[in-house]
Amino acid sequence: MTSGLVLYGYWRSSAAYRVRIALNLKGLGYQNRPVHLVKDGGEQHASAYAAMNPQQLIPSLRDGDRTLTQSLAIIEYLEELHPEPPLLPVDARGRAQVRAMAQLVACDIHPLGNLRVLQYLESELGADEAQRGAWSRHWIATGFAALEAMLADNAATGGFCHGDTPGMADACLIPQVYNARRWKLPLDDYPTIRRIDAACSELQAFRMAAPEAQPDAPAVQG
């Protein structure tokens, strides 16, 4: 399906990553507009982008003359505008459970390891790379322990976070698993998360959304 959607993101941003997954699961085409988060002090701080997104964060999604911000709000917007295939269950309890898992990742784990937080730890508090890595692993592990318990103790957990089709919770989880591996967090204690990650890795929607598959990803040096 083609559309007039334009996604402003960065190849390694987990927030943009989860929106790419949602777009792909919906079968929605989009233009990819990279915003480099480090180059020249961060292109997200440029006046043109700041005028579009006052938070100076990514992602932003342009739909015609409208700009949407905040990844979960964008995913919910796509769900309401393009309800098939659904990313949320049909029942209220199931929708609440999926939103809780998505928010656990997007609101509790991810912000503590976001680039601007890590930059502040380095520039203002003098944290070196090892300390920033320990910080990131701690908060991912704390969140994953809770999420693993939620998944393992939930009859609704199937091949994916909720049932046997991927949805919003999976779109949030997989980028965070990517971050966990990037920060070298062992995943042995999270068998359900690992199983779901493996299932998602078999799907084209997730493979196409992966950081290394993005046009602004650095070329691998051979």
Side-chain angles (χ1 to χ4, degrees):
M1 181 185 297
T2 59
S3 69
L5 299 173
V6 180
L7 179 66
Y8 295 80
Y10 180 63
W11 70 282
R12 204 163 61 182
S13 160
S14 56
Y17 188 175
R18 64 179 75 114
V19 173
R20 293 195 300 263
I21 293 171
L23 286 163
N24 293 344
L25 287 172
K26 291 286 187 185
L28 295 170
Y30 62 94
Q31 296 180 50
N32 195 323
R33 297 279 178 85
V35 178
H36 202 294
L37 297 184
V38 180
K39 182 180 178 182
D40 298 328
E43 293 178 347
Q44 71 275 23
H45 303 307
S47 58
Y49 187 80
M52 183 176 64
N53 185 335
Q55 278 193 288
Q56 301 176 37
L57 298 173
I58 58 170
S60 295
L61 183 73
R62 290 280 294 176
D63 184 6
D65 60 355
R66 292 165 292 186
T67 300
L68 291 306
T69 62
Q70 290 292 337
S71 62
L72 292 187
I74 292 171
I75 293 173
E76 294 265 10
Y77 172 81
L78 296 174
E79 178 76 353
E80 293 177 9
L81 207 61
H82 306 278
E84 296 295 333
L87 300 182
L88 288 167
V90 296
D91 62 297
R93 180 175 295 181
R95 294 166 81 90
Q97 289 176 340
V98 167
R99 287 183 172 117
M101 290 186 283
Q103 290 174 25
L104 187 157
V105 173
C107 303
D108 295 336
I109 302 176
H110 169 246
L112 289 166
N114 206 4
L115 176 63
R116 60 179 180 171
V117 171
L118 298 178
Q119 288 176 332
Y120 183 87
L121 289 173
E122 179 182 16
S123 63
E124 300 298 324
L125 302 180
D128 60 22
E129 184 175 358
Q131 291 170 319
R132 297 194 303 276
W135 167 278
S136 296
R137 286 189 295 273
H138 170 78
W139 292 115
I140 297 172
T142 298
F144 272 12
L147 183 57
E148 177 68 26
M150 292 170 65
L151 290 166
D153 193 36
N154 190 343
T157 303
F160 299 94
C161 288
H162 191 92
D164 292 321
T165 55
M168 186 167 72
D170 306 281
C172 291
L173 172 61
I174 299 315
Q176 196 59 59
V177 174
Y178 175 90
N179 284 343
R181 292 194 172 108
R182 178 187 169 200
W183 290 108
K184 297 179 172 55
L185 173 69
L187 298 176
D188 298 348
D189 292 338
Y190 321 111
T192 314
I193 289 175
R194 286 189 287 109
R195 176 178 61 75
I196 293 169
D197 176 65
C200 290
S201 71
E202 297 295 319
L203 301 180
Q204 184 72 359
F206 287 84
R207 292 198 296 265
M208 290 173 57
E212 293 77 10
Q214 304 317 300
D216 55 322
V220 176
Q221 299 299 316

